[in-house]
Every structure is written in structure tokens, then in C-alpha cells.
Amino acid sequence: MLRTEDGGKTWAVQDTSSLGDDIITEPHFNALRQLSDGSLFMVGEAGFLARSRDDGRTWSRISSPYEGSFFGIGETPGKALLIAGLRGHLFRSVDGAQSWSEINTEVVGALNAVTSLASGVYVLGNDGVVLRSEDDGRSFSRVQRGDRKGIAAAVRNDGGLILVGESGALRVDSSGQNIQD
């Protein structure tokens, strides 16, 4: 892991060996997100979860509800945490990652990213999967994009999203459907 304290002018390698365990000495880190409380939350392979409350200087492992890989972390408008990963696994915490509830997604592919809009919470995945929640991430409905191409990430844009993945970048409305420019 690299760290900067001068806005990216210089970088230093940060020792992360303490984040390993008996099985994986140093896991792959797949996603990093700053939460509304200012802490940093990181997810990775083999159920890896960690949090930093000092801008990444030190990290603490968090007990994981799953041994598979996680690819996405997000926060709902109501401040619940969502972590998404392999084989459609999606978990929600309302107590700051002390405990997790699994959400049945009926998805078999990887879930790669989590993002929120005023209109809902979105979880994006392989096979063109867009999961949408209107109840702060308690339950999700599925939109299967017709092209079935994987979605790796999304950013908010004018009440919708820009999806990035196998199809390049696509602008979609809050339902997950393409917007024609």
C-alpha cells in the first residue's frame, strides 16, 4: 500500500504485514472507501475487512461474516454499511461493522461496487446486474441490463449514474436504464 501526506507529490510504502493472518500473510486489498464518520474502510480477498480511524496511518482488522472475497463497500443514506463480493454475497451492518446481516440477492456472479443516490442504493456486478434498494439497503430489486456486460464501478451524475465496465462508460437513469445523449 502506498501513502501520501502531501497531496500526491511524494509517496511512501506503508507496512501492511500486520493485516495478514495465519492463512494469508498479506491479503489483496480490493476496495477502499471513506465513510461519513471520516474513517476509512477496506475490503479484500478471503473475507478481509479493516478500518482506519486515523487517515490510514494504522488499521484494525474487523471480524468478517464471509470467507470469500469482497470487492465493494458502500454506505447508505441512513449510514448502514454494505459490503459486496463473490457469488452475489451482500452484507449489511447498522452498528458500525460489529455485526452483519446477509441480504439474499439471488445473484450468482460477483458484486463489484456499491453507490448511493437520493433515489436509492445501488449494487453493481458482473453479467450486467444492477441491484436497487429503496429501503436503505434492507432489500433489493434486480435490473438485468440487456447487454449482460459486467459493471465494475459507478459514479453519481445528474440524478443518475455513470456505469463503468465491459461496455466502457454508460450514463443511466436511477432505474439503471441507458440515457441516450
Side-chain angles (χ1 to χ4, degrees):
M1 179 184 304
L2 297 176
R3 177 174 177 73
T4 183
E5 295 196 17
D6 58 11
K9 292 178 184 169
T10 60
W11 294 86
V13 174
Q14 182 170 343
D15 180 22
T16 56
S17 60
S18 66
L19 294 175
D21 59 24
D22 293 338
I23 299 169
I24 298 177
T25 56
E26 199 163 352
H28 293 122
F29 309 131
N30 293 330
L32 174 70
R33 169 82 47 108
Q34 185 171 27
L35 303 177
S36 61
D37 67 1
S39 67
L40 299 174
F41 202 97
M42 187 167 39
V43 299
E45 71 175 339
F48 176 81
L49 303 175
R51 182 191 308 257
S52 173
R53 296 191 184 276
D54 60 5
D55 293 324
R57 288 177 190 83
T58 60
W59 291 89
S60 299
R61 289 285 300 255
I62 294 173
S63 180
S64 180
Y66 174 60
E67 293 180 2
S69 293
F70 290 113
F71 302 114
I73 172 75
E75 189 171 32
T76 70
K79 308 301 181 229
L81 299 178
L82 293 172
I83 51 177
L86 277 177
R87 299 184 181 114
H89 285 283
L90 180 63
F91 296 87
R92 182 176 188 267
S93 176
V94 295
D95 59 9
Q98 297 298 310
S99 64
W100 298 93
S101 299
E102 186 164 13
I103 299 167
N104 181 8
T105 66
E106 297 184 13
V107 172
V108 295
L111 298 175
N112 302 318
V114 180
T115 193
S116 295
L117 298 174
S119 61
V121 179
Y122 298 83
V123 178
L124 311 162
N126 289 353
D127 301 322
V129 169
V130 177
L131 300 177
R132 181 176 184 222
S133 173
E134 295 178 342
D135 61 4
D136 206 53
R138 290 176 187 84
S139 64
F140 286 82
S141 59
R142 180 175 174 162
V143 175
Q144 185 73 53
R145 293 193 39 82
D147 62 13
R148 298 189 67 90
K149 296 203 174 173
I151 304 165
V155 293
R156 293 175 273 215
N157 178 274
D158 294 330
L161 298 168
I162 296 176
L163 306 179
V164 179
E166 290 179 286
S167 292
L170 297 169
R171 195 162 63 105
V172 299
D173 63 20
S174 61
S175 73
Q177 301 303 314
N178 285 11
I179 295 174
Q180 301 299 322
D181 288 327

